[in-house]
């Protein structure tokens, strides 16, 4: 349940919705924030997403795929209205060490 561990979320998928993935585990590895100057605020969260399902290589074989990424939000207070802020989101995805071979020439 969400109250047991606020840094973990489990999504159970109907069969065939996302290929052979049956369950997704989402782990929050870190959270941080920083106040910039008086009008800027930054927040960041790092995640690991683990997709669990069955391999296409044969019945009964499990497949696990890991994805690591960080979301960074930047909020800036609007000069003309102190109650309004604009924001942007940057997502950084990281390759797993065994994925690097797929991108070599």
């Amino acid at each position: 349940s969400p109250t047991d561990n606020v840094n973990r979320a489990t999504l159970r998928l109907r069969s065939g919705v996302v290929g052979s993935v049956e369950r997704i585990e989402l782990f929050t590895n870190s959270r941080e924030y920083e106040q910039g100057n008086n009008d800027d605020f930054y927040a960041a969260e790092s995640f690991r997403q683990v997709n669990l399902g069955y391999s296409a290589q044969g019945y009964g074989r499990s497949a696990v795929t890991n994805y690591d990424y960080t979301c960074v939000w930047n909020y800036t207070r609007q000069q003309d209205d102190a109650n309004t802020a604009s924001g942007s989101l940057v997502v950084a995805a990281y390759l797993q060490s065994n994925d690097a071979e797929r991108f070599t020439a």
Side-chain angles (χ1 to χ4, degrees):
S1 87
T3 57
D4 293 338
N5 187 347
V6 297
N7 294 316
R8 181 178 182 175
T10 300
L11 297 111
R12 298 188 188 283
L13 305 172
R14 281 187 261 153
S15 181
V17 171
V18 180
S20 62
V21 176
E22 290 191 350
R23 188 175 85 225
I24 297 173
E25 299 286 339
L26 187 61
F27 300 92
T28 303
N29 292 327
S30 68
R31 289 183 178 97
E32 54 188 289
Y33 63 92
E34 180 178 326
Q35 179 75 40
N37 60 34
N38 291 336
D39 293 326
D40 291 328
F41 177 81
Y42 303 91
E45 291 184 313
S46 295
F47 301 98
R48 168 162 276 192
Q49 177 179 324
V50 181
N51 292 358
L52 303 156
Y54 292 103
S55 172
Q57 298 175 357
Y59 178 76
R61 298 184 75 179
S62 64
V64 178
T65 309
N66 297 322
Y67 302 98
D68 292 312
Y69 51 96
T70 298
C71 297
V72 180
W73 292 268
N74 172 32
Y75 300 100
T76 302
R77 186 179 333 182
Q78 298 300 305
Q79 296 296 327
D80 56 340
D81 183 0
N83 295 321
T84 304
S86 63
S88 64
L89 168 63
V90 175
V91 178
Y94 306 101
L95 289 175
Q96 299 297 316
S97 58
N98 59 345
D99 287 339
E101 295 173 1
R102 296 182 196 172
F103 297 100
T104 57

